[in-house]
Amino acid sequence: MKIGIIGAGNIGSTLAQKLAAHGHTIKLANSRGPETIAELATRIGAKAVERQEAVRDVDVIILSTPFDKHAELAPLLGGVGENVIVIDTSNYYPFRDGNIEAINQGKAESVYASEMLQRPVVKAWNAVLAKTLQEKGAAAGSATRIAIPVAGNDAAAKSVVMELVSQTGFDAVDGGTLEESWRQQPGTPAYCTELTSDALRAALNAADKARAPVNRDALINEFMSAGDSLTHDDIVERNRAVTA
């Protein structure tokens, strides 16, 4: 497949590398221009391009940018064909993205993102830490393979995305419709807790919509206060403990 990725941070660049290794043709873009990521792109098997080129003549577009950039990205997608799948990997954090009243009042982040982008999206790879994505993928069939939730309204598009998730080394669990994607947002038991498929399904079912933003804010404040003193495993364990 031909895949365009906008966002060359830890998540975007890791996805580019993993998907290129599976034979996909990857175009990678950021907000600062291809010359700033040319070396990175060459090293991971992608082609560094302008953002406008990343969405041209592709089958899938992956948006791996901060949540508050959706409105800015909307014009880029204006001419993209309806058959092109758009995947959103972002998460809403008010301290970084500003307070968005619609989400604060209960609208699912991905529904809001879809409205800002003015096209359907599939939510994937948002509920996984960068180090988990980089280092903890495993072969299909492994008993301890970590699972990642995927939410969306188009069954065919979601099926394609779930296969891509598997290719990056993780089981894909159907997280339901975009309206149900709040179950994989920050502060829920499914978010960055490194669960196997069965445990992840249980976590999605156990999510508490009212409690999730409270958990999210408590955890991010704890992590920011701790600085570099917390290890990756510490973060996963705190996520599990607070959201359980």
Side-chain angles (χ1 to χ4, degrees):
M1 298 179 72
K2 293 180 287 186
I3 300 174
I5 301 177
I6 298 179
N10 290 332
I11 298 293
S13 61
T14 300
L15 290 175
Q17 184 173 22
K18 285 174 172 276
L19 293 171
H22 271 268
H24 300 289
T25 300
I26 309 297
K27 294 190 286 187
L28 182 64
N30 66 358
S31 61
R32 295 176 295 137
E35 67 281 356
T36 65
I37 55 171
E39 182 179 348
L40 167 67
T42 298
R43 174 163 47 84
I44 63 178
K47 179 182 180 182
V49 298
E50 298 283 356
R51 292 195 298 179
Q52 293 84 349
E53 174 60 25
V55 302
R56 189 178 299 128
D57 188 30
V58 292
D59 304 301
V60 174
I61 296 168
I62 299 174
L63 304 178
S64 188
T65 59
F67 191 84
D68 65 349
K69 302 301 181 185
H70 288 109
E72 175 185 318
L73 294 173
L76 286 173
L77 303 179
V80 172
E82 293 182 1
N83 61 319
V84 176
I85 299 168
V86 177
I87 304 171
D88 182 26
T89 73
S90 68
N91 294 293
Y92 168 59
Y93 279 98
F95 82 94
R96 179 195 63 194
D97 303 312
N99 277 295
I100 299 174
E101 191 60 26
I103 297 177
N104 294 343
Q105 292 300 317
K107 179 173 286 189
E109 295 173 10
S110 299
V111 172
Y112 180 88
S114 181
E115 292 172 352
M116 292 297 100
L117 294 168
Q118 301 175 43
R119 66 174 298 132
V121 300
V122 178
K123 187 78 163 184
W125 291 299
N126 75 296
V128 60
L129 294 168
K131 187 171 182 179
T132 306
L133 184 61
Q134 290 165 355
E135 300 180 4
K136 296 200 173 184
S142 169
T144 57
R145 199 183 201 210
I146 294 169
I148 293 176
V150 178
N153 294 341
D154 185 308
K158 189 158 57 173
S159 177
V160 171
V161 177
M162 291 176 76
E163 174 57 28
L164 292 176
V165 166
S166 182
Q167 290 177 13
T168 61
F170 301 87
D171 283 341
V173 167
D174 191 335
T177 66
L178 214 57
E179 289 74 16
E180 295 173 288
S181 64
W182 64 267
R183 294 180 180 276
Q184 64 192 69
Q185 290 177 187
T188 64
Y191 183 76
C192 298
T193 46
E194 294 189 352
L195 304 176
T196 58
S197 294
D198 288 345
L200 179 58
R201 291 186 186 96
L204 290 167
N205 288 332
D208 183 327
K209 194 171 187 178
R211 184 181 164 197
V214 177
N215 293 340
R216 175 199 66 203
D217 293 345
L219 284 163
I220 197 64
N221 287 336
E222 178 180 344
F223 296 155
M224 291 176 70
S225 297
D228 295 332
S229 65
L230 294 177
T231 66
H232 170 83
D233 290 342
D234 289 336
I235 293 171
V236 171
E237 288 304 317
R238 288 302 296 153
N239 282 336
R240 290 178 176 178
V242 172
T243 64

